[in-house]
Amino acid sequence: MKKLAQRWHDTWSSLELLPPPNLLMELMHSYSEPHRFYHTLQHLGECLELLDAVTPLAERLPEIQLALWFHDAIYDPQRQDNEELSANWALICIDQTCANESLSNLDPKMAHRIHDLVLATKHDQVLLATDAQLLVDVDLGILGADEDRFSEYELQVRQEYHWVPEADFRVGRSQILKYFLERSAIYGTPWLADQLELKARRNLENSLLIIETSDRDH
């Protein structure tokens, strides 16, 4: 927690801004909601650590960092608009913070860029901007995790969808796994592709095989 809190304050300091009072506490509370098992502070911390490995590739590093903080700020597995709600929360908070500052060098478009970065984590569009690609690749870093962490991730996802019948879950999950496997590349950032692409495909193929085997057994 302390390490995350320090990251939070360092990010705002790099922008020469003071974060809104209580916002860190509100975000940590959101990421700690009892219905979350994967979209938690663990995931946020893993994303920020992976970003550390590719910081030279970022055009506006603090904006990616803030987008990561907000990208799962709102998460309800039974909703379809989590990213939109999270992006709007980011926009409001950052806009208000900038409005309260008198710094002449503040970029008026920053809040909207961060809003758009959060929306990019819907993973439903072709990305052209470097920072957006970097952000979504970091968000997908879990797919290229080591075997034990990936297995834990799969269990965490199932726990978040505990209300879905097993057969229905297997159908939906297999569709998601196939979606990523059928992409020409899972990662668009060359360095991350070199590090994670093969491991991600192996993880996804193994997970899909488990589902297909389970379907045959039933």
Side-chain angles (χ1 to χ4, degrees), residues 156-175:
Q156 290 170 335
V157 172
R158 183 66 183 105
Q159 287 175 295
E160 288 187 341
Y161 286 87
H162 64 89
W163 43 274
V164 178
E166 181 62 26
D168 293 340
F169 179 81
R170 290 201 301 268
V171 170
R173 190 63 182 161
S174 63
Q175 289 174 345

Side-chain angles (χ1 to χ4, degrees), residues 15-18 94-108 110:
L15 293 168
E16 299 183 351
L17 293 171
L18 290 175
I94 297 166
D95 248 349
Q96 289 178 345
T97 301
C98 292
N100 293 333
E101 296 287 344
S102 58
L103 298 175
S104 60
N105 62 342
L106 278 177
D107 186 341
M110 180 178 67

